Every structure is written in structure tokens, then in C-alpha cells.
Amino acid sequence: MNYTENLLIALQSIKDNFLRSLLTLMVIAIGIACMVGMLTAIDCILYSMSSNFNRLGANSFSFKQSRQTIKSSNRGRKIKRGEPIRFDDAIDFKDAFKYGSALVSIDAYCTGGATVKYDKKETNPTVKIIGIDENYFLTSAYEVEEGRNFTSSEALSGTNKVIIGNDLVNTLFDKKAEKALGQLISINGSKYKVIGTLKQKGSSAGSGNDRKIYISLLNAKKLYGYAQKNYNITVSTPNSTDVDDTVSSAIGTMRNIRKLKAAEENDFDIRKSDGMLEKLKDMTSTIRLGTMIIAGLTLLGAAIGLMNIMLVSVTERTKEIGVRKALGATKINILAQFLSEAIVICIIGGIVGIIFGILIGFGVTLLISGQFVIPWNWMTLGIIVCIIVGVVSGIFPAIKASNLDPIDALRWE
């Protein structure tokens, strides 16, 4: 008896016991739909969140001035600042670092107590001034709303041009970003021309992200620079999966610039921006495990039900088994026939469950306005689980059928 004949007999048996097979099939389908649907939804949510985090800087890392813990005789432990990343270090790194499509930006904090004036309007002395280069907005979460970014020549020319945050547009220009372009504003008594405005970002960790003004990097060095001034370097990669490799390459470049010997430790810190995303991935791993356990319990019930059906089928078809054995069917033939029936029921149920699972995942993706990802891995897992359930459920009834004595089976009424 070949595999095609086994398949045809299995399908005929399912047709002959349609209602009973349908109920078992639907239990399997529900279990697979729950598993595939939830796992697909989790993947789509993570994919959407990963894309959003990438836009917010999760695919970037920064060089910071190191903080070293040292022992003190009278106060236990102290925090000591390492050597700052100076202007020349930052510029040399930006010029030297070449790794794939990674972008390098430089910024420097200038002051948090600036007063900005335009016409007769004036802000409180709480405006932050940040010196940036032309890549800063490409490696951060800020987006230009009106106007333009600095050019590379402007960033290193000390030009009196600025890009202002959304709060300053609201305060000085009546919430009209286009009105601010080209206007001269006064920052602590110095005149600057507005060349761009930023989209609203909101506050985080007590920081007014929209209450900032951005000046050119060289301008920041001239007005707010000093010998121990620290400059921040941010490196952004096109994809968050490339961050670790880029970090390794960037550390090597920075060590060369700082002239560190092989035995010396890094005198700078690396800070990644993907901590929140990693925590979310860890949380979803637990959710995935819980989903698989729940689906597994559902499939366990389906497996017990399917085994019961197959045992009843063996009893009902005892005479048929006797006829087949009398005509030359071996134990292996009978075992393969009944095992095939169990597997076919599970696979059909699995296919139905996968279809419903994909629809569930697609529905969740639509609700969160995310991007749907075809769950090939979970579809494959669903089919594998169905085959395992079919084998586990059908093996005992199949063995029972194959061990029937043909003479006793032929006399069965």
C-alpha cells in the first residue's frame, strides 16, 4: 500500500465520519489559531515598535566622558570623571570612522539659561543652547518641520544661524513656524538668523525637548568652549541589528585617536539607546512562552479527543481490518493507514488554524497601524506541531489496529 492510497483512505474515513472529525479538527484549529495568531501579533507589534525606536535613536550609540569609580580612604567610593572628549578628538573621529552606512554626529551642551528675544516678545531665561553639526538631526529623534538643517560648511564656519524648537515658535512667532524663517532673533544679546524649526517632540525625564535652540558646532566652540569642554559623539546605523558590530569598530577607531595602548582600558564610555527595546523583547519572550503553553494545553485536549476518535474508529472498522489483512495487508500497512488518518486530520486542522491565526495577527496589526509581517516561522511551527500531535494521537490506535488477529477481526460483528 503506497502513501497516495493511505491518503485517499484517510480522506474517505474523514468523510464517512465527517461531524466527529470536524469537531476534533476545529479544536486543533482553535489551538493553532491561538498560537499562530498571538505569535504573529507579537512579531508585528515588535516590528512596528522596532521601526519607531529606530526613528527615535534605538539604532544608535554615543561616546560619553567616562565615569570611573575609585576608592577613597574616608568616604568609601568616589566617582571620578575621565578625560573629556575634546573638539579635536570628535572631529578626528568623524573624519576617520568609516563603517558601512553609519553616520557620525557631534554635539555639545552650551547653556541652559539663555534668554531669546524677537521684536517685543521674550522668553524666560530657561532656554537650552546646543551646538550641533549637519548630521545631528539624522542621528537623533528630532525632525525639521520648516526650513532646513545646517550644511557641513555652516556647522564648521561659526555662522550666526539657528534652528529653534517648537516652544520658541509658539512663544515668539504665534505658533506659526513659517513665520519664523529668515527672522533675526536675539540670544543673550547676540543676533542670529532662523533657518529652520523643529517638529514638536514633548518632554521626557524632566527635559524640555522643545525648548531648545541649536547653533553651529564651531559657534558653540567659540562662545562656550573651554579647555576641558566635552563633546558628545553619536553614531547611527541604518538597522539596529548592526549596532554591535559598529560599536566594536567605533571603539577601535576611538582608541587609536586617543592613542591608547593595547593594555590600557578605554577612557571613554559607550551608551546604547536600545535599552527599552531590549526590555520589551524580553517581556514579549515571556508572553510568547505563555502563548505556547496555553496553545499546548488546547492541543493536548485535541490530541486526547483525536485518540478517542481513532480508538472508536478501530473498533468500528475491525471487520474491514480483517479483510485487508486477509488480502495481504501487513501490520506496517495497517499501522500506516490509521496513523495517516490521524496526521491528515491534524494537518487539515492546522491549515485552518494557521489561516485564522494570520487573520488575527493581521487584525491586530491594523488596530495598531503597524506593518504586517508574514509569519513563515510560526506557520512552519504550526504544521510541525500538528504532525507531532497527529503521531502522538494516532500511534496507539494504529498499533492496536495493526495487532488485530485477522481471523477474529473477520468474525467481528
Side-chain angles (χ1 to χ4, degrees):
M1 184 180 291
N2 57 35
Y3 294 110
T4 304
E5 190 175 351
N6 277 338
L7 179 61
L8 292 174
I9 293 173
L11 292 173
Q12 184 60 45
S13 176
I14 293 171
K15 183 179 178 182
D16 293 339
N17 301 281
F18 180 74
L19 182 59
R20 191 165 59 190
S21 299
L22 178 64
L23 292 174
T24 305
L25 182 150
M26 289 309 297
V27 175
I28 294 171
I30 290 170
I32 295 295
C34 290
M35 182 178 72
V36 174
M38 289 300 295
L39 294 175
T40 302
I42 291 169
D43 280 356
C44 291
I45 291 170
L46 266 181
Y47 185 84
S48 299
M49 293 183 72
S50 179
S51 298
N52 290 332
F53 272 99
N54 283 349
R55 288 195 294 270
L56 295 175
N59 57 334
S60 65
F61 59 92
S62 301
F63 286 92
K64 302 289 185 181
Q65 187 176 5
S66 66
R67 294 167 61 89
Q68 301 171 346
T69 302
I70 60 175
K71 293 183 178 180
S72 173
S73 58
N74 56 349
R75 292 190 176 181
R77 291 179 180 271
K78 283 185 177 181
I79 300 297
K80 178 185 176 182
R81 284 277 186 185
E83 286 295 312
I85 299 174
R86 297 183 177 85
F87 183 82
D88 291 341
D89 293 339
I91 295 297
D92 290 344
F93 177 87
K94 183 177 178 181
D95 292 338
F97 184 68
K98 308 293 179 186
Y99 187 86
S101 301
L103 277 177
V104 179
S105 71
I106 306 170
D107 67 277
Y109 178 82
C110 299
T111 180
T115 300
V116 184
K117 297 179 182 179
Y118 171 73
D119 198 12
K120 296 181 180 179
K121 297 178 181 178
E122 181 179 344
T123 67
N124 292 326
T126 55
V127 178
K128 292 182 180 178
I129 299 178
I130 311 292
I132 63 171
D133 67 359
E134 75 282 3
N135 289 336
Y136 178 78
F137 294 129
L138 300 176
T139 62
S140 68
Y142 295 93
E143 297 180 69
V144 176
E145 180 178 24
E146 296 287 344
R148 63 178 178 84
N149 188 11
F150 291 115
T151 64
S152 57
S153 59
E154 286 174 338
L156 295 177
S157 67
T159 180
N160 277 24
K161 295 178 181 178
V162 294
I163 299 170
I164 63 176
N166 188 259
D167 277 1
L168 299 172
V169 172
N170 295 341
T171 303
L172 302 177
F173 299 99
D174 302 321
K175 301 182 180 181
K176 297 176 181 178
E178 66 279 0
K179 182 181 175 182
L181 297 181
Q183 301 299 325
L184 292 176
I185 61 175
S186 173
I187 305 175
N188 290 342
S190 299
K191 295 291 184 181
Y192 288 83
K193 182 180 179 180
V194 179
I195 62 169
T197 65
L198 300 178
K199 291 182 180 179
Q200 184 175 5
K201 187 170 186 283
S203 300
S204 62
S207 174
N209 292 315
D210 296 318
R211 200 170 182 78
K212 293 179 180 178
I213 278 186
Y214 298 89
I215 62 177
S216 67
L217 187 64
L218 192 60
N219 209 347
K221 181 178 183 294
K222 290 194 302 183
L223 297 176
Y224 300 96
Y226 49 90
Q228 294 298 309
K229 176 76 173 177
N230 183 72
Y231 291 81
N232 299 316
I233 301 173
T234 302
V235 181
S236 174
T237 63
N239 196 311
S240 57
T241 57
D242 299 330
V243 170
D244 290 338
D245 291 338
T246 310
V247 167
S248 299
S249 178
I251 288 174
T253 303
M254 181 58 80
R255 286 181 62 87
N256 289 335
I257 289 170
R258 306 273 274 192
K259 295 180 173 57
L260 297 177
K261 296 179 181 178
E264 290 182 293
E265 294 185 359
N266 294 337
D267 61 352
F268 50 84
D269 289 337
I270 295 283
R271 297 183 190 175
K272 295 183 183 180
S273 305
D274 59 352
M276 182 61 72
L277 184 59
E278 291 302 320
K279 288 181 181 179
L280 287 170
K281 287 181 179 179
D282 291 341
M283 290 170 62
T284 53
S285 296
T286 305
I287 297 174
R288 280 197 183 99
L289 179 61
T291 300
M292 289 182 178
I293 291 173
I294 294 170
L297 293 174
T298 305
L299 292 172
L300 177 61
I304 294 171
L306 179 58
M307 185 179 292
N308 179 59
I309 286 177
M310 295 305 298
L311 288 170
V312 172
S313 180
V314 170
T315 303
E316 291 178 346
R317 296 162 62 188
T318 300
K319 193 167 187 178
E320 175 191 329
I321 295 168
V323 171
R324 291 184 185 279
K325 283 197 169 186
L327 293 175
T330 64
K331 283 186 175 184
I332 297 297
N333 295 143
I334 301 298
L335 188 144
Q337 175 192 335
F338 279 86
L339 200 57
S340 297
E341 289 181 20
I343 293 173
V344 167
I345 290 175
C346 286
I347 289 178
I348 294 174
I351 292 172
V352 174
I354 287 170
I355 293 171
F356 280 110
I358 291 174
L359 292 175
I360 291 171
F362 182 70
V364 172
T365 305
L366 287 179
L367 287 175
I368 65 170
S369 299
Q371 187 173 350
F372 180 71
V373 181
I374 298 176
W376 297 111
N377 49 344
W378 305 130
M379 291 165 63
T380 303
L381 177 63
I383 293 297
I384 292 172
V385 168
C386 287
I387 293 173
I388 293 172
V389 170
V391 171
V392 171
S393 304
I395 191 68
F396 178 69
I399 292 173
K400 181 180 179 182
S402 66
N403 287 331
L404 286 176
D405 184 86
I407 296 174
D408 292 337
L410 284 170
R411 292 186 300 187
W412 182 268
E413 294 295 337

